[in-house]
Amino acid sequence: MNKRMTRLLTDGLIALVLVVVWRFINIEQVLRLNYSLPIMLGLIPLIWIALRHGGAFAILVAAIAGLVNTLLASATDLPFISRLLLEVTPLLVVGCAGFFAKYTQKTLNNRRLTSTRLNIATASMIVSVAAFIIRYIALPLILSIPLHGVLWHNATAWGAAVLTAVIATLILCLVAQFKPDWIIPKRSKYLSRKETSRLLND
């Protein structure tokens, strides 16, 4: 196994563990504090993976994480397929962040941090809002699952999606600012070897 594949699998495993751990903690919060709309912070490591390795790999990690979450989730009256759809489908939208991977890495490599932050913020907002709509509005309607307080006109509900995007943006922008190599892997497919070497040798 070459170094690139090892790095890819290691990053994927890190993201997978973070998603699963956060989902477990989040479920405990729902049970203990009766949150109706938990903030979807599990999206953050998936957005990171998409910006670092592209949308296709992020979708794969998201699908596996969703499956693991389905198996670990507390038992409900919902059929397995419904629980699987609720856990997996919203996470798959992280593939959208992959469209911003190339320009995020290029602008970061060229020290154009304003453009980098804009790319990260846009990717985070699109993914967070889309995941929220799928998880808390579209799927409950399709599967006829009642979720109290989740309505198109519920400002508090939409606030959870926006807050998720803001937190994701802040965390990933700090990573880009202080640890750019956490966003740009060695031998990135979005940069030439010359560009990558310049970043790593600075």
Side-chain angles (χ1 to χ4, degrees), residues 153-173:
H153 60 273
N154 190 319
T156 303
W158 286 103
V162 174
L163 184 57
T164 298
V166 170
I167 295 173
T169 298
L170 289 175
I171 291 175
L172 294 174
C173 282

Side-chain angles (χ1 to χ4, degrees), residues 20-114:
V20 172
V21 167
W22 172 252
R23 182 69 178 108
F24 173 76
I25 295 173
N26 219 31
I27 289 174
E28 294 302 309
Q29 288 178 333
V30 172
L31 294 175
R32 186 170 63 250
L33 302 177
N34 194 30
Y35 289 167
S36 60
L37 281 175
I39 299 171
M40 302 175 71
L41 294 186
L43 292 172
I44 298 175
L46 295 176
I47 296 171
W48 166 67
I49 279 292
L51 294 176
R52 182 169 167 82
H53 294 294
F57 185 64
I59 289 174
L60 175 61
V61 175
I64 296 172
L67 176 59
V68 173
N69 286 339
T70 303
L71 298 174
L72 295 179
S74 302
T76 67
D77 295 332
L78 295 176
F80 177 79
I81 188 63
S82 295
R83 288 187 285 122
L84 183 65
L85 288 173
L86 285 170
E87 293 291 345
V88 174
T89 311
L91 299 183
L92 299 182
V93 299
V94 297
C96 296
F99 292 113
F100 298 88
K102 178 178 179 180
Y103 295 106
T104 297
Q105 293 192 24
K106 282 189 172 293
T107 55
L108 179 57
N109 185 60
N110 293 326
R111 299 296 193 271
R112 292 163 51 197
L113 291 179
T114 300

Side-chain angles (χ1 to χ4, degrees), residues 176-190:
Q177 176 81 37
F178 297 106
K179 296 292 292 185
D181 56 312
W182 288 9
I183 300 290
I184 306 176
K186 291 181 179 180
R187 304 295 177 255
S188 169
K189 62 182 179 180
Y190 299 111

Side-chain angles (χ1 to χ4, degrees), residues 3 32 49 120 135 153 155 199:
K3 290 183 178 180
R32 186 170 63 250
I49 279 292
I120 291 174
R135 176 64 177 82
H153 60 273
L199 170 72

